[in-house]
Amino acid sequence: MDKNTEEFYERLKVELDNSNTWPAEYLYKFIVPTVDDNVERVENAFNCMGAIIKTTKSKTGKFTSISVDVTMKNAQEIVDKYQEVGTIKGIVSL
């Protein structure tokens, strides 16, 4: 992970800790290319966590937006999930 990415996640952790009491509901939003098993990989990352996952395909079907509403234990757990799904080719975290 490069220096800018590390700094981004550190800032995110601080902001999350300042604005939440844990555990807290968190809404992840991603856009992935609708190819291979991208959507399934995001869904599997949140498997067995009680997450509510909504997917919507773009008009052309080339991309899928994924919203994941889940209760997280702390800011580090949120950052860890972003890093886990960040390995999916073409994923955009919003």
Side-chain angles (χ1 to χ4, degrees):
M1 189 169 17
D2 67 24
K3 191 174 194 284
N4 287 340
T5 305
E6 278 184 42
E7 288 174 359
F8 168 78
Y9 284 126
E10 279 303 314
R11 278 194 317 271
L12 177 61
K13 247 173 58 172
V14 169
E15 288 177 27
L16 287 168
D17 279 332
N18 289 339
S19 63
N20 291 289
T21 51
W22 303 105
E25 286 283 317
Y26 189 76
L27 178 63
Y28 290 91
K29 290 191 173 205
F30 307 105
I31 297 174
V32 294
T34 310
V35 292
D36 303 325
D37 60 346
N38 285 346
V39 174
E40 186 180 338
R41 287 178 63 194
V42 172
E43 289 173 343
N44 287 342
F46 294 93
N47 199 9
C48 299
M49 293 181 70
I52 298 169
I53 301 172
K54 296 178 184 160
T55 60
T56 307
K57 280 190 180 178
S58 64
K59 282 185 185 178
T60 61
K62 291 181 181 177
F63 296 95
T64 301
S65 69
I66 306 169
S67 297
V68 181
D69 200 1
V70 64
T71 301
M72 302 302 276
K73 293 177 192 151
N74 55 47
Q76 185 60 51
E77 190 176 38
I78 292 171
V79 169
D80 291 345
K81 280 295 174 192
Y82 274 122
Q83 291 173 337
E84 180 182 342
V85 298
T87 61
I88 298 169
K89 186 176 180 177
I91 192 166
V92 176
S93 300
L94 304 174

